[in-house]
Amino acid sequence: YRAAELVPVLPTRLMRPLLHGAELAMHHLYGAISRDRNVVVYSGHGADELWGYQAGRYFPVVDPYAPTYIHGRHYLTHQLYSDERPVWARLVTWMARELGVDMTAVTDLVWQRTMDEYRAIKTASPLKRGRHHLLRRFLVYVNDMVDATSATFTLEDRPVFQDVALAELAFRCPEHLKDSGEPGSSHKGLLKEALADLLPDSVRHRTKQGFPTPTDPRYVRRLTDLADGLGAPFGLPPMPAGLRAELGVGEWMFLASTSAWLGHLAELRTDPRSHVEPSPS
């Protein structure tokens, strides 16, 4: 129940809809740290992007055997939607059709913007390009989420792996030394080997765990009620019954948080207190 109550609140701090459960989990994590009267927390954010996965399905942008200009294309247009999240794909397709949005044009634009920096890097190594892509795209997104949720509790999060000197060392390191293919006990093997005399075996060999999304059926029902109460975003019509029955946690969380976010933006535009008077020249 408490997690569901955060769904309309966090978008006003992140200034975007919720995309998965990590935002909720981080909020609760920093809340627990703050309740212990801490003001500074040292975190491991960035270790994956600097020292971790590169190959296989965990780093699908890169195809070392394909021309650089087509990297990421198949993942964005196929796997990200229809293969990996089919229900999400059906929801987005329905929304686009109702709003008169050309999804092909949008996908082309997103792919172009996302990959411009990747293609512009002056290196022959696709994996090194991919590492840069992770840092400039995904890690920036993670740091934005970290800043918004930690600041809620006036905590200062210090991501030690993003120290400038250490990050430069990680980026210069040959990619084949870091590439373990997939997360697991051997994930970030080079980093763990370097810290072997400082960390206990229980830490070095434990399996990687992400931030989970709540799956309790009561949570899904609460999200459904919340989304219905806030109304459909963008003035969308009632959803087809068949599609509605398919939606899961992620889709309902997206719909509810999008409505809350758009409502917050509307308040900022109409509230006179949100306008700053220009200073006299």
Side-chain angles (χ1 to χ4, degrees):
Y1 182 84
R2 287 191 301 157
E5 292 302 306
L6 284 173
V7 170
V9 175
L10 286 181
T12 67
R13 297 169 184 171
L14 293 161
M15 291 309 291
R16 62 164 174 78
L18 305 184
L19 302 178
H20 46 64
E23 300 97 338
L24 302 173
M26 281 189 176
H27 179 92
H28 283 293
L29 174 62
Y30 287 122
I33 294 172
S34 176
R35 286 192 292 274
D36 285 339
R37 302 186 180 221
N38 293 296
V39 294
V40 176
V41 54
Y42 291 92
S43 70
H45 301 299
D48 278 346
E49 290 75 17
L50 286 160
W51 298 97
Y53 47 77
Q54 273 280 45
R57 66 188 182 92
Y58 291 97
F59 198 66
V61 170
V62 169
D63 179 359
Y65 302 105
T68 302
Y69 68 87
I70 69 170
H71 285 184
R73 177 65 170 177
H74 178 77
Y75 178 70
L76 178 62
T77 56
H78 296 84
Q79 290 178 303
L80 180 61
Y81 294 118
S82 57
D83 292 351
E84 291 187 359
R85 298 184 64 180
V87 176
W88 171 260
R90 287 192 282 276
L91 173 63
V92 171
T93 300
W94 172 77
M95 292 176 65
R97 185 171 59 247
E98 294 295 331
L99 296 171
V101 173
D102 184 346
M103 278 301 293
T104 300
V106 171
T107 301
D108 287 343
L109 181 61
V110 171
W111 178 67
Q112 182 73 26
R113 289 181 175 178
T114 300
M115 300 304 289
D116 271 348
E117 292 178 352
Y118 176 89
R119 292 193 296 268
I121 299 174
K122 304 302 181 183
T123 175
S125 168
L127 291 179
K128 190 61 73 178
R129 290 173 185 258
R131 183 69 63 182
H132 183 266
H133 177 83
L134 272 177
L135 296 175
R136 293 299 301 272
R137 292 288 172 176
F138 187 69
L139 186 55
V140 169
Y141 157 75
V142 170
N143 285 341
D144 179 64
M145 186 164 44
V146 168
D147 288 343
T149 51
S150 62
T152 299
F153 303 98
T154 60
L155 276 172
E156 181 181 346
D157 185 294
R158 296 181 181 176
V160 293
F161 287 106
Q162 296 181 52
D163 172 81
V164 173
L166 184 59
E168 289 178 345
L169 172 64
F171 193 74
R172 290 197 304 268
C173 179
E175 293 304 315
H176 72 274
L177 297 179
K178 295 182 285 186
D179 187 3
S180 62
E182 63 181 31
S185 59
S186 62
H187 186 47
K188 291 179 286 203
L190 180 62
L191 182 62
K192 291 177 179 179
E193 183 178 350
L195 299 175
D197 59 336
L198 300 175
L199 297 174
D201 289 343
S202 59
V203 172
R204 289 195 299 119
H205 298 301
R206 68 185 175 192
T207 302
K208 175 180 171 60
Q209 293 181 330
F211 289 106
T213 298
T215 56
D216 190 316
R218 292 172 298 176
Y219 177 66
V220 180
R221 288 195 296 270
R222 178 66 183 137
L223 284 181
T224 305
D225 293 341
L226 187 61
D228 289 340
L230 290 169
F234 308 110
L236 286 164
M239 193 181 307
L243 176 60
R244 181 184 172 92
E246 286 188 290
L247 301 188
V249 171
E251 291 77 29
W252 283 117
M253 185 165 57
F254 168 75
L255 290 170
S257 63
T258 299
S259 294
W261 173 58
L262 292 173
H264 178 64
L265 291 181
E267 289 179 3
L268 291 178
R269 294 191 186 102
T270 57
D271 187 348
R273 293 172 298 178
S274 66
H275 297 288
V276 178
E277 294 294 331
S279 59
S281 56

